Amino acid sequence: HLLENYLKKADEQNDIVSVLVIDVDDFHKIKDGYGMVVGDEVIQQLGGFLNVFSGENVIVCHMDSDVYCMAIYAPSGENSVKEIHKKIQKRIKKPFVMSNGREVFLTVSVGVAEYPEAAASALELMNCAEIVMYKCKDLGKNAIHFYDTNTLNEFLQTVEIENKLKEAISNQNFELYYQPQYYVGNKRLRGMEALIRWRDGDNKMISPGVFIPIAEKNGAIISIGTWVVEQSIRQYASWRNEYGVHLILSINISARQFEKENFVEFLLKTLRKYEVDFTEIELEITESILIEDSEVVTEKLKILKNYGIRISLDDFGTGFSSLSYLKTLPINTLKIDKSFI
């Protein structure tokens, strides 16, 4: 209601209103690490600090869990978005001291949208600020991002793809392409890599570069990955039986799929079902798999390798690439990214 009054006043006086959505980064880690009581106290202390900005031309409110919203009427001088963000950054460089004496550090991602440029109503304005706040998180957190029409278009495209993706998973509208791999020396066929492709309901091809990151974010990648493993192994078994050749089938495995407790069991069960030799399979993983819990991941990779399954590290050179850590990993194949070359 207060924000609507701001917008009405801005119309009459030809002014602008800035809305900031402020979200604590990785709040679940604070709660998981220190407990819910400390988590709640951190949010209260942050709210107490943000409330200092409240005044005739600034509204501050707690939206949800670890999210605050701020509206600034005719932002300028001390009340400009830049100045307020600078003060927030200065405060969070110091720890928040809890009642039990524990010190907690945090960072925040901030999304900003301005009236009338971004939206025509209070709710739309808050939605726009929230959209850019999430974009800020995607781009690395602990920063501030401002709304523009490109951001909204990207968001709408993502929502559209997410909806189409749900449909594609239930209807299995995916195809697998197989890219051959040859030995350079004797030009002999080594095997093939299974690559997923998606043709949507309008018969348009949607690039994996577009839909895979979305599927990884919303969890759909697990269903998709399960389908890829099953279909590619079934197809390979069919070719092997028909032509009597033993090659290597490379399958891309996402971090979320690999993390599943039953992943190794599912893979071995599928290989036994289609009577495919473990040594004929190569799993392609990226460095993102290694980031989360390296000991658990390395253990799982060793189990797979002990069964004779090959491991290939894809896109080497794009992440936290280190030649020294390669020595500790049970890897057969290294695929060096073109940017590294």
Side-chain angles (χ1 to χ4, degrees):
H1 181 65
L2 291 170
L3 180 55
E4 281 170 354
N5 288 345
Y6 270 12
L7 303 192
K8 203 172 168 187
K9 187 177 164 189
D11 271 342
E12 291 163 4
Q13 301 190 4
N14 203 21
D15 270 320
I16 63 169
V17 177
S18 290
V19 165
L20 290 72
V21 170
I22 302 156
D23 184 286
V24 176
D25 295 326
D26 300 316
F27 181 58
H28 65 282
K29 288 184 181 173
I30 295 173
K31 279 198 301 187
D32 293 348
Y34 301 125
M36 285 183 70
V37 174
V38 170
D40 287 346
E41 194 177 348
V42 168
I43 295 304
Q44 284 167 14
Q45 286 203 24
L46 176 64
F49 166 71
L50 293 175
N51 207 37
V52 169
F53 298 109
S54 287
E56 193 186 338
N57 289 332
V58 181
I59 309 163
V60 179
C61 72
H62 184 211
M63 272 175 78
D64 174 43
S65 178
D66 59 330
V67 185
Y68 282 91
C69 187
M70 190 182 288
I72 311 168
Y73 182 82
S76 63
E78 287 294 297
N79 277 353
S80 70
V81 172
K82 189 180 172 185
E83 279 303 309
I84 286 176
H85 184 248
K86 201 189 287 181
K87 285 170 186 166
I88 293 171
Q89 284 296 306
K90 189 179 174 185
R91 172 63 190 91
I92 63 175
K93 280 191 172 75
K94 295 181 291 188
F96 287 84
V97 182
M98 302 297 102
S99 52
N100 63 3
R102 185 183 289 280
E103 293 188 344
V104 179
F105 284 90
L106 57 84
T107 62
V108 296
S109 294
V110 183
V112 184
E114 284 190 344
Y115 176 85
E117 182 202 6
S121 72
L123 189 61
E124 281 176 28
L125 195 60
M126 288 168 74
N127 283 343
C128 289
E130 191 175 20
I131 289 166
V132 279
M133 179 271 289
Y134 283 120
K135 181 171 184 181
C136 182
K137 283 191 178 294
D138 286 347
L139 295 172
K141 306 171 186 171
N142 191 24
I144 185 167
H145 278 261
F146 292 81
Y147 172 88
D148 59 29
T149 47
N150 288 343
T151 305
L152 181 63
N153 292 338
E154 275 173 33
F155 174 76
L156 294 173
Q157 187 190 16
T158 300
V159 170
E160 187 187 0
I161 289 172
E162 274 189 328
N163 292 334
K164 285 183 175 179
L165 203 50
K166 283 175 195 161
E167 203 178 299
I169 290 166
S170 57
N171 299 338
Q172 295 192 338
N173 289 351
F174 299 107
E175 303 168 18
L176 284 179
Y177 285 21
Y178 295 86
Q179 180 174 317
Q181 297 175 336
Y182 291 92
Y183 290 105
V184 176
N186 58 15
K187 306 288 191 288
R188 192 163 61 84
L189 182 66
R190 175 188 186 261
M192 69 287 291
E193 179 184 352
L195 300 168
I196 190 167
R197 296 293 179 263
W198 174 25
R199 200 181 292 279
D200 73 6
D202 304 324
N203 208 30
K204 284 193 309 216
M205 290 294 269
I206 297 178
S207 163
V210 172
F211 75 84
I212 293 291
I214 294 170
E216 281 181 337
K217 203 172 289 177
N218 69 12
I221 195 69
I222 293 167
S223 305
I224 294 170
T226 301
W227 180 85
V228 169
V229 169
E230 174 94 26
Q231 292 300 312
S232 59
I233 291 172
R234 185 177 62 80
Q235 177 63 74
Y236 172 72
S238 162
W239 282 333
R240 192 205 53 200
N241 297 339
E242 189 177 343
Y243 300 108
V245 289
H246 289 267
L247 300 165
I248 292 167
L249 170 68
S250 291
I251 308 169
N252 291 279
I253 303 295
S254 80
R256 290 190 73 164
Q257 189 182 2
F258 189 83
E259 283 162 11
K260 293 285 283 182
E261 258 182 60
N262 66 345
F263 172 72
V264 175
E265 187 190 330
F266 158 69
L267 180 65
L268 299 178
K269 189 178 166 188
T270 309
L271 290 169
R272 289 181 183 124
K273 177 180 169 183
Y274 293 105
E275 298 177 346
V276 170
D277 197 303
F278 297 161
T279 59
E280 295 174 310
I281 294 298
E282 182 171 69
L283 300 184
E284 295 214 1
I285 63 168
T286 61
E287 289 169 292
S288 60
I289 286 178
L290 309 170
I291 293 167
E292 287 303 315
D293 190 340
S294 56
E295 276 182 39
V296 174
V297 167
T298 305
E299 202 50 47
K300 207 179 264 192
L301 291 173
K302 281 177 180 166
I303 292 167
L304 289 164
K305 201 173 180 191
N306 288 341
Y307 277 107
I309 292 164
R310 295 161 184 263
I311 307 295
S312 169
L313 185 61
D314 201 1
D315 298 335
F316 181 75
T318 56
F320 59 101
S321 310
S322 153
L323 292 170
S324 60
Y325 90 88
L326 284 180
K327 290 190 293 186
T328 65
L329 297 170
I331 286 168
N332 302 82
T333 307
L334 191 64
K335 293 179 78 175
I336 298 170
D337 188 77
K338 59 181 179 289
S339 64
F340 200 56
I341 298 164

